[in-house]
Amino acid sequence: MKELLGLLGFLALVQGVLGLLHEFTRWHVGLVQRLGFLDGYEVYASVALIVLAFALLAAAESRKPG
């Protein structure tokens, strides 16, 4: 379970950072800008993903190994 939480946290962090990178540099990277229902809210969704990532990584660290 610890590994799964760590992996999900890492993926959420990467997608959040890539979403912000897309918004500020217009590089076509990440998944957030490809979701149609987030039109106009990409920055908020990216920040929410980063916050979620830190929460998942903190939960992974607090779990016992195994």
Side-chain angles (χ1 to χ4, degrees):
M1 185 63 133
K2 181 177 182 172
E3 293 83 14
L4 178 63
L5 287 173
L7 177 67
L8 290 175
F10 175 74
L11 290 176
L13 181 65
V14 168
Q15 288 302 316
V17 169
L18 288 176
L20 288 177
L21 189 65
H22 169 76
E23 285 301 311
F24 295 119
T25 64
R26 294 295 176 203
W27 289 356
H28 296 290
V29 293
L31 185 65
V32 173
Q33 76 274 3
R34 290 187 167 96
L35 300 175
F37 64 90
L38 291 176
D39 282 345
Y41 298 100
E42 291 92 351
V43 172
Y44 300 115
S46 296
V47 171
L49 274 172
I50 292 171
V51 170
L52 174 67
F54 282 117
L56 286 170
L57 291 171
E61 284 297 315
S62 70
R63 306 266 315 172
K64 291 184 274 184

